[in-house]
Amino acid sequence: MMLAQEAVNESGRLVTLVLFGLMVAATLGITVWASRRSYSAADFHSGGRGFSPLQNGLAIGSDYMSAASFLGIAGLIALAGYDGFLYSIGFLVAWLVALLLVAELLRNSGRYTMGDVLSYRMQQRPVRTAAAVSTLTVSIFYLLAQMVGAGALIALLLGIQEGQTFLGMDAATAKIVGIVVVGLLMTVYVTIGGMKGTTWVQIVKAVILMSGAALLTVLTLSLYGFNLGALMSDAADASGQGAAFLEPGLRYGVEVAGDPVQTMWNKLDMVSLSMALVLGTAGLPHILIRFYTVPDSQSARKSVNWGIGLIGTFYLMTLVLGFGAAALVGREAITAQNAAGNTAAPQLAETVGQAVGGNLAGSVLLALIASAAFAAILSTVAGLVIASSSSLAHDFYNSVLRKGKAPGREEVRVAKLSALGIGAVSIVLAIFAQSLNVAFLVALAFAIAASANLPTLLLSLFWKRFNTAGAVAGIYGGLISAVGLVFFSPVVSGRETALIPGADFAWFPMPNPALVSVPLGLLCAVVGTFMSKERDFDKFAMLQVRALTGAGAEKASDH
Amino acid sequence: MTTDSKNQGSDPPGPDQDVNPAYLAMHSDPRFLALKRSLYSFIFPMSIAFLAWYLLYVLMSAFGRDFMGTVLFGSTNVALVFGVLQFVSTFGIAILYTRYARKKLDAQATELRDELVKGDARQKNQEGTR
């Protein structure tokens, strides 16, 4: 079924390439348009704070529905059935933490970055340095995973298999070209468009992705007379797993026959992963800074609600797409293209298109879904670049190096230079990392956000006694324990599939550290607090009054 | 735009961090305490509730597989219903919170904010522009 005839294949690739080109032209146009009236630091970091809740909700969805979660979860469901759904549930429920505990209070009390809120009642330099270190670590890990994935995906989306060439590129060259193109584009969006340009790119992407996924979902369901039950049982039959395909346990918490200890670790690891997903989201710097792009805290709340609606709908559609791919494309055809199942959704598009309207429809639908995935890659990485360059310029350069004396223009200039640097570094790192198995970096980014960022953020907002030593200990403690435990886990060494397959220094049994590193991060924050005598209840009162009432909150710029 | 001239001069790194006596007084104002109680009494119990509900789902998926695999009808099993219920509860809590905030929080917060902002404006006029 896949890539049926060479001629169709070739014309399909051309359609895909043309759509990719249109997407690039459109997003660059938007970026230039958005840059025309952006001068101040508030424009660069927060897009002028003038976005509507719906616009920001779309951008939130865009930041979150990366190619990894669109193609990745659809593929996971197609290959491992129910466990892919389980993964997406953690991603969704996490938004309640952001809605109830973080979004509005952060909007009211911060300015551009997560560090603003963390350092509000602390000594600026140590806390902002820690915030910048953690922001950069989380963002770069996440960025690397996305970019390495992007290179491989673009090769796959253009249908370039090992041993084939297209426009003179073989698969390995296409991967590198993919990484470089994505890296250049994200750097251009951020340096020229700032937060405003990035946000508009994200809005456009969310619309394309949601409509593409909706179209494919409806077409897939139409092949089953809109009977989801029939689709599911067909998927279960085709998977060769039977009823187990519709139950948890094929991928996470795998039961190893005759090895109760390993089984227990696998199950605890599943709990650990869920914990990272649900607690990590509200600590991801690129998500947090989205709350500053709206005029006030009520708009922040509404934009999270839009985000929850979009993301929830999206994951429900992904469930149909994953089961559809399992039933219609089949496991063998999916793993033949990509072992992780990342091409399940595009392959489903081709199959469904062919079933509905013949070969041409198949190529067009494939091109459409491939472009939606391409847009998904671009907008998520742009969000990560702006989060890290903002934090470098605002938290580290201005507050730490320049002691807060740099004017807005200088801060913007440094932020743009940082974006260039981060873009260049991540292109190089991604090219070197592309032969490594870096898929674990996404889960690690969530684990760090859950262990280092969320506890300190919540303690800053709600715990009167919290102080500089506590914040610094909490951030570094959570960061080091999450990274350290992963370093000594089976994802880095001791297994065939590990990052360094040849070595074995793994003593921590779980690939996901959150179960241990979140309590450890929290403990460091609490112990650190009590080790220091510093207490500033007046500033805590200031912070709380601002956070709860919105008095003194940053306003939208007047244009 | 006419560039926000305030942002061009000396740009403080974070939000205004000076301790302001009016804000301190507000922190122990009964209306503020009532607002804080209204907020906390919703967000904390609700957070514990949804985290416990999610944890139950994860633990059942890890350790209660026989129960999760029970077929209810057709190809629908407990696991699927439980998963869909997580979506329902997430949407539901978001709606509940939004209605609660509109009724019990927004007006009160706006009243206190306006009071403080008026005070800020008076103070700024005395100091000259920042």
Side-chain angles (χ1 to χ4, degrees):
Chain A
M1 191 91 68
M2 72 173 160
L3 306 176
Q5 296 121 338
E6 209 44 44
V8 172
N9 189 354
E10 202 62 28
S11 65
R13 279 180 188 170
L14 274 178
V15 179
T16 308
L17 205 61
V18 168
L19 279 182
F20 277 25
L22 282 177
M23 192 98 63
V24 170
T27 49
L28 286 177
I30 290 168
T31 310
V32 171
W33 168 78
S35 71
R36 284 183 314 150
R37 309 194 310 174
S38 294
Y39 307 101
S40 70
D43 287 329
F44 183 86
H45 296 300
S46 309
R49 307 187 202 282
F51 285 98
S52 75
L54 172 58
Q55 290 167 341
N56 192 37
L58 284 164
I60 284 175
S62 222
D63 254 334
Y64 208 58
M65 296 179 289
S66 58
S69 64
F70 171 40
L71 301 176
I73 290 179
L76 196 54
I77 295 174
L79 297 181
Y82 187 84
D83 278 1
F85 183 51
L86 196 146
Y87 201 97
S88 70
I89 288 173
F91 272 155
L92 177 71
V93 171
W95 280 94
L96 287 177
V97 181
L99 176 69
L100 297 179
L101 300 175
V102 177
E104 294 174 53
L105 303 178
L106 182 99
R107 172 62 189 86
N108 276 341
S109 53
R111 190 167 199 199
Y112 302 136
T113 61
M114 176 180 80
D116 287 339
V117 179
L118 292 181
S119 67
Y120 185 89
R121 57 195 172 103
M122 318 283 175
Q123 293 164 37
Q124 295 291 307
R125 300 174 81 182
V127 176
R128 284 195 185 263
T129 308
V133 167
S134 160
T135 297
L136 275 174
T137 316
V138 171
S139 303
I140 300 243
F141 280 176
Y142 206 131
L143 192 55
L144 265 185
Q146 297 282 340
M147 286 183 68
V148 169
L153 275 176
I154 288 174
L156 284 169
L157 294 176
L158 287 171
I160 305 172
Q161 294 286 313
E162 296 294 335
Q164 293 181 331
T165 56
F166 177 56
L167 300 177
M169 293 185 291
D170 59 10
T173 326
K175 279 180 196 173
I176 294 178
V177 170
I179 289 173
V180 173
V181 167
V182 167
L184 287 178
L185 282 171
M186 73 187 184
T187 312
V188 169
Y189 296 149
V190 172
T191 44
I192 296 181
M195 185 52 130
K196 199 181 283 176
T198 305
T199 304
W200 277 111
V201 169
Q202 287 174 329
I203 292 170
V204 170
K205 169 259 179 121
V207 172
I208 295 175
L209 186 58
M210 288 302 285
S211 7
L215 176 68
L216 189 53
T217 303
V218 170
L219 289 180
T220 304
L221 280 175
S222 76
L223 294 181
Y224 282 89
F226 295 93
N227 181 349
L228 185 62
L231 170 62
M232 286 190 329
S233 53
D234 213 19
D237 289 343
S239 72
Q241 303 279 356
F245 192 69
L246 305 176
E247 294 166 16
L250 286 182
R251 178 66 58 92
Y252 300 120
V254 177
E255 292 174 358
V256 186
D259 192 347
V261 176
Q262 188 56 44
T263 299
M264 181 54 77
W265 283 125
N266 287 350
K267 293 192 171 193
L268 287 177
D269 182 59
M270 173 176 171
V271 177
S272 191
L273 170 69
S274 307
M275 201 165 154
L277 297 180
V278 87
L279 298 178
T281 299
L284 290 174
H286 70 291
I287 296 292
L288 294 175
I289 59 170
R290 291 240 56 92
F291 304 139
Y292 293 129
T293 64
V294 290
D296 52 33
S297 61
Q298 277 98 325
S299 313
R301 179 198 308 148
K302 284 183 206 154
S303 54
V304 178
N305 282 335
W306 277 113
I308 290 178
L310 286 165
I311 293 164
T313 312
F314 183 76
Y315 287 143
L316 288 173
M317 295 194 291
T318 314
L319 184 66
V320 174
L321 300 185
F323 281 143
L328 298 169
V329 182
R331 180 184 195 87
E332 231 169 89
I334 296 170
T335 47
Q337 286 231 341
N338 178 268
N342 281 332
T343 46
Q347 283 177 287
L348 175 69
E350 190 175 25
T351 309
V352 168
Q354 280 167 351
V356 173
N359 282 341
L360 180 67
S363 307
V364 172
L365 204 56
L366 169 64
L368 220 78
I369 293 300
S371 314
F374 183 55
I377 296 169
L378 290 179
S379 68
T380 302
V381 292
L384 291 163
V385 173
I386 196 152
S388 29
S389 55
S390 275
S391 182
L392 254 185
H394 181 65
D395 291 327
F396 190 70
Y397 175 78
N398 199 353
S399 307
V400 176
L401 296 182
R402 297 273 276 116
K403 299 186 185 167
K405 295 204 178 74
R409 277 203 181 169
E410 185 180 329
E411 192 177 301
V412 172
R413 202 161 54 236
V414 173
K416 290 184 173 180
L417 284 174
S418 308
L420 283 177
I422 290 162
V425 168
S426 50
I427 289 174
V428 173
L429 284 180
I431 289 175
F432 279 112
Q434 60 165 332
S435 56
L436 303 174
N437 186 359
V438 292
F440 73 93
L441 286 176
V442 171
L444 177 56
F446 272 82
I448 299 172
S451 318
N453 298 353
L454 189 71
T456 42
L457 199 55
L458 293 182
L459 292 175
S460 289
L461 289 168
F462 298 112
W463 189 29
K464 193 173 170 183
R465 176 72 170 81
F466 198 43
N467 57 24
T468 304
V472 171
I475 293 175
Y476 290 126
L479 178 66
I480 292 169
S481 55
V483 176
L485 290 176
V486 166
F487 185 77
F488 292 110
S489 83
V491 295
V492 173
S493 72
R495 274 204 308 214
E496 295 258 317
T497 51
L499 185 65
I500 313 167
D504 187 359
F505 44 84
W507 50 261
F508 186 70
M510 298 188 292
N512 290 287
L515 197 59
V516 178
S517 64
V518 172
L520 217 56
L522 192 61
L523 188 72
C524 288
V526 172
V527 171
T529 302
F530 286 119
M531 303 266 282
S532 151
K533 289 204 179 66
E534 182 196 11
R535 54 181 82 197
D536 195 338
F537 295 165
D538 282 0
K539 274 203 179 156
F540 178 65
M542 285 287 297
L543 176 68
Q544 267 209 322
V545 169
R546 291 179 53 131
L548 266 62
T549 65
E554 299 288 326
K555 297 201 178 50
S557 41
D558 45 357
H559 52 79
Chain B
M1 86 178 179
T2 52
T3 313
D4 205 358
S5 54
K6 286 186 301 258
N7 279 344
Q8 295 300 310
S10 79
D11 202 23
D16 190 359
Q17 268 140 350
D18 304 332
V19 172
N20 180 327
Y23 283 57
L24 282 190
M26 180 59 79
H27 194 245
S28 41
D29 188 300
R31 290 169 300 162
F32 180 79
L33 294 175
L35 171 67
K36 188 159 96 172
R37 205 164 346 148
S38 304
L39 177 71
Y40 284 12
S41 68
F42 188 96
I43 60 174
F44 291 137
M46 195 56 100
S47 296
I48 292 168
F50 85 75
L51 286 174
W53 169 236
Y54 175 69
L55 185 67
L56 177 70
Y57 167 71
V58 172
L59 290 177
M60 289 305 293
S61 299
F63 300 101
R65 294 207 172 138
D66 290 342
F67 172 70
M68 293 294 264
T70 314
V71 173
L72 296 173
F73 53 88
S75 49
T76 306
N77 56 19
V78 172
L80 183 74
V81 173
F82 209 152
V84 171
L85 282 179
Q86 293 286 330
F87 277 73
V88 173
S89 61
T90 302
F91 292 146
I93 290 170
I95 293 169
L96 276 182
Y97 172 65
T98 306
R99 286 172 54 182
Y100 181 85
R102 269 196 211 134
K103 252 202 295 205
K104 302 267 168 116
L105 306 174
D106 287 352
Q108 283 80 342
T110 310
E111 181 193 329
L112 301 183
R113 185 192 66 205
D114 290 347
E115 211 173 294
L116 289 166
V117 169
K118 268 182 212 144
D120 281 350
R122 266 200 303 278
Q123 207 179 358
K124 255 184 197 162
N125 283 339
Q126 285 162 8
E127 285 173 12
T129 48
R130 285 179 55 91

